Amino acid sequence: AWVAHKRGDAAKAAEYMAAALRTGSKDPEVLWRASEIEKAAGNAAKSTALLAAARKTNPGLDPALYQ
């Protein structure tokens, strides 16, 4: 998903990330990346919710570490 996102294919990235999120992962890095993908796809509300979930799991989340 992240590779598709970095290549500018927001639709494909969102498709791949949706599959990844179906696992129920609470990994803050995965949730943050999902947030970024949703933001790029134009889904601001979903992006905000995913970022909140990532920060709930890890309040010290530093997105700069995941770039």
Side-chain angles (χ1 to χ4, degrees), residues 4 6 8 19 24-25 50 52 67:
K6 292 303 250 182
S25 176
L50 286 162
Q67 298 290 329

Side-chain angles (χ1 to χ4, degrees), residues 32-64:
W32 173 78
R33 288 180 191 259
S35 171
E36 290 295 299
I37 288 168
E38 290 298 336
K39 182 169 42 174
N43 300 321
K46 193 168 184 181
S47 173
T48 300
L50 286 162
L51 182 57
R55 291 219 161 110
K56 181 178 180 183
T57 304
N58 179 3
L61 180 72
D62 182 1

